[in-house]
Amino acid sequence: MRIDVLTLFPEMFDGVFSSSILGKARDKGIVSLNTVNFRDYSNNKHNTVDDYPYGGGGGMVLKPEPIFAAVEDLPVGEDAEGGSVKPRVILMCPQGKPFTQKVAEELSCEQHLVFICGHYEGYDERIRQYLVTDELSIGDYVLTGGELPAMVVIDSVVRLLPGVLGNEMSAVTDSFSTGLLEYPHYTRPAKFREWEVPEMLLSGHHENVRRWRRKESLFRTLERRPDLLEGREFTKEEKAWLAEWQERNPKK
């Protein structure tokens, strides 16, 4: 996968792209992580990339010319048949589609992603209409720029690529990947102070451990994010667990 980030502050990505999982993935050649300062594509002597909005109002708006020029100057990849690969061009924006694990899984199947990180009051609408393929938001709040949201999305996507994580099952059992929150984890020692690891996890019975984890995932979701269960089709086993949970929590 190739990932390009259009930003006015490429130095913000230096540490993120060279550390931890992202750094290892780049070192292995699994992903190419690149930044582009779209100020370099400004078409005026002052290298400005923003201007006052038509119709008046506060703030400045990013101009379309440098953004279009920067995207169009990116290398074009090829698919297995030798055809050109069109990138997914993603605008990080509070107005965008909420970013979820499902979206991360979808993007992890792409060969080329381009992230546009804006600043100021907003973008010229023609960028939205004629250049980007996706608009994503990481939450119902506003940040000073799109860099931090882009880092969040990139980290979430890259860790799903084959060979990135040491244990391929880690991503499969993550919260949200199964539609449920992840089950509790424990490690040594088996007893810490007066708190003990659940006996089931020490039994060595793989099927019982699997059922315990599934059950705990369901209970944790009921307690913390019941909204995730709306519209879910429950198995016979899950229905029995639901009845057990409701018996324990009659007021919920």
Side-chain angles (χ1 to χ4, degrees):
M1 175 182 282
R2 177 185 176 93
I3 296 178
D4 293 291
V5 181
L6 275 62
T7 171
L8 294 174
F9 304 98
E11 66 277 6
M12 290 181 65
F13 292 85
D14 292 344
V16 175
F17 282 176
S18 60
S19 305
S20 189
I21 296 297
L22 290 180
K24 292 178 180 178
R26 183 164 67 172
D27 291 343
K28 291 179 180 179
I30 297 173
V31 62
S32 170
L33 300 168
N34 315 284
T35 55
V36 177
N37 190 334
F38 58 85
R39 192 180 297 281
D40 296 338
Y41 292 84
S42 174
N43 59 359
N44 60 79
K45 64 179 181 180
H46 299 294
N47 292 327
T48 57
V49 294
D50 61 318
D51 209 334
Y52 295 102
Y54 280 119
M60 305 290 280
V61 176
L62 283 174
K63 296 161 62 69
E65 298 99 321
I67 304 292
F68 273 81
V71 172
E72 291 166 354
D73 195 40
L74 292 174
V76 178
E78 293 185 352
D79 57 25
E81 288 73 35
S84 61
V85 176
K86 291 185 177 181
R88 292 276 287 270
V89 182
I90 301 166
L91 192 69
M92 301 310 304
C93 172
Q95 302 175 30
K97 175 181 177 181
F99 180 65
T100 63
Q101 186 68 20
K102 184 177 180 180
V103 176
E105 293 168 357
E106 176 190 335
L107 293 177
S108 71
C109 297
E110 298 289 335
Q111 292 187 37
H112 190 185
L113 301 177
V114 178
F115 291 85
I116 301 177
C117 305
H119 276 262
Y120 313 116
E121 180 65 21
Y123 309 92
D124 185 288
E125 188 66 17
R126 288 163 290 190
I127 297 172
R128 300 179 190 274
Q129 290 180 305
Y130 305 112
L131 182 62
V132 306
T133 59
D134 305 83
E135 293 185 47
L136 292 180
S137 168
I138 64 167
D140 294 339
Y141 48 87
V142 179
L143 299 172
T144 55
E147 284 77 13
L148 293 176
M151 293 175 192
V152 169
V153 175
I154 292 169
D155 184 275
S156 182
V157 170
V158 170
R159 67 188 302 277
L160 297 175
L161 300 179
V164 171
L165 297 181
N167 186 339
E168 296 298 330
M169 286 302 296
S170 296
V172 176
T173 57
D174 282 338
S175 292
F176 308 112
S177 293
T178 62
L180 302 173
L181 298 184
E182 195 171 6
Y183 50 80
H185 291 279
Y186 296 88
T187 188
R188 294 179 178 84
K191 184 175 181 179
F192 171 64
R193 297 181 180 176
E194 70 272 23
W195 308 304
E196 297 184 6
V197 172
E199 186 176 347
M200 181 63 68
L201 297 178
L202 306 176
S203 68
H205 194 296
H206 297 301
E207 178 57 22
N208 286 347
V209 170
R210 183 200 67 80
R211 294 182 69 253
W212 180 90
R213 286 174 169 172
R214 188 72 175 176
K215 180 179 179 180
E216 291 298 317
S217 287
L218 180 61
F219 284 2
R220 178 156 289 188
T221 307
L222 282 165
E223 293 166 358
R224 303 184 181 189
R225 290 293 304 277
D227 57 294
L228 296 176
L229 300 175
E230 294 178 4
R232 181 185 178 88
E233 293 186 9
F234 296 99
T235 65
K236 183 178 180 181
E237 186 174 50
E238 288 174 338
K239 289 179 180 178
W241 292 336
L242 279 173
E244 178 184 337
W245 186 86
Q246 289 170 347
E247 185 177 343
R248 293 184 189 176
N249 304 273
K251 295 183 179 181
K252 294 185 179 182

